[in-house]
Amino acid sequence: MNNQWVVGVAGSLVAVMLALGIAWGGADQGARVAGLPVIMLCGVFAYAVQWLMFVHAWLRKTELYYDLTGSMTYVVMILGALWMSWPTDPRALLLSGLIVVWALRLGPFLYDRIKSAGEDRRFRTIKTSFPTFFMTWTLQGTWVFITASCALAAITAHTGVPSDPMLWTGLVLWLFGFGVEAIADRQKS
């Protein structure tokens, strides 16, 4: 077995195990569907989408839909968590909305940038190696799930938290970060 296979398989396993541990920890006292924690179902969904799109990407030797897939995974995963955990509180609705807005801005921007350039240079050698390319898609599933895991825990929690100064501070920080990111993306264009 060559190095690429070892790194690809080991990297994918570590990523999935990390996400599984986070899902297990975040599932405590959260919403369940058919006895399964919603946060775990979200993790399974994140990987399923990435691996399904990996098959398409591998067969076509393309990374064109990589970032767009990541963003759309955020959107569907968050909306699914919200739906499976309904009814919910205003904080969960706000968190969901902020994640969806961010993902809907970033994914199409990155997709357009790659489409204009004709490729994402970072993938030149990656997309020629099955295990490395697979690991990249697995890491994206991990990234999506882990970065959304705190929000998923809040969205799927049975107990709501009333609005407080921490919520408004977080919203102000999000608005600042969103503005900086949007300006930076415009400058890069």
Side-chain angles (χ1 to χ4, degrees):
M1 189 181 272
N2 71 25
N3 255 359
Q4 287 182 338
W5 279 95
V6 171
V7 170
V9 170
S12 295
L13 284 173
V14 168
V16 171
M17 290 173 57
L18 177 63
L20 182 62
I22 290 170
W24 180 70
D28 187 38
Q29 310 217 3
R32 293 179 177 269
V33 170
L36 298 170
V38 170
I39 196 168
M40 284 241 185
L41 295 173
C42 290
V44 168
F45 172 77
Y47 285 113
V49 170
Q50 301 312 307
W51 292 338
L52 182 64
M53 287 304 294
F54 162 75
V55 171
H56 172 271
W58 175 251
L59 293 174
R60 302 235 191 281
K61 298 290 188 265
T62 183
E63 73 285 359
L64 181 62
Y65 300 109
Y66 182 78
D67 294 308
L68 195 57
T69 299
S71 283
M72 292 305 106
T73 303
Y74 273 112
V75 171
V76 176
M77 183 179 67
I78 291 298
L79 294 178
L82 195 59
W83 178 71
M84 289 185 280
S85 303
W86 200 262
T88 192
D89 65 356
R91 183 181 297 256
L93 291 172
L94 179 62
L95 285 169
S96 300
L98 296 176
I99 290 170
V100 167
V101 166
W102 193 289
L104 290 176
R105 183 204 63 78
L106 184 59
F109 168 78
L110 294 172
Y111 170 78
D112 288 341
R113 192 172 75 180
I114 292 168
K115 191 149 173 88
S116 301
E119 70 170 338
D120 184 336
R121 291 185 323 231
R122 300 172 300 169
F123 283 86
R124 278 188 189 150
T125 57
I126 293 173
K127 66 185 173 186
T128 62
S129 166
F130 183 93
T132 306
F133 200 33
F134 178 77
M135 182 182 67
T136 303
W137 286 85
T138 300
L139 290 174
Q140 178 163 261
T142 305
W143 174 260
V144 168
F145 179 72
I146 289 176
T147 58
S149 63
C150 290
L152 287 169
I155 292 165
T156 62
H158 284 303
T159 55
V161 177
S163 297
D164 61 4
M166 187 63 78
L167 173 70
W168 303 114
T169 302
L171 179 59
V172 168
L173 286 171
W174 184 92
L175 289 168
F176 176 75
F178 188 82
V180 168
E181 186 83 14
I183 290 168
D185 288 344
R186 182 175 278 292
Q187 290 172 342
K188 285 185 221 171
S189 297

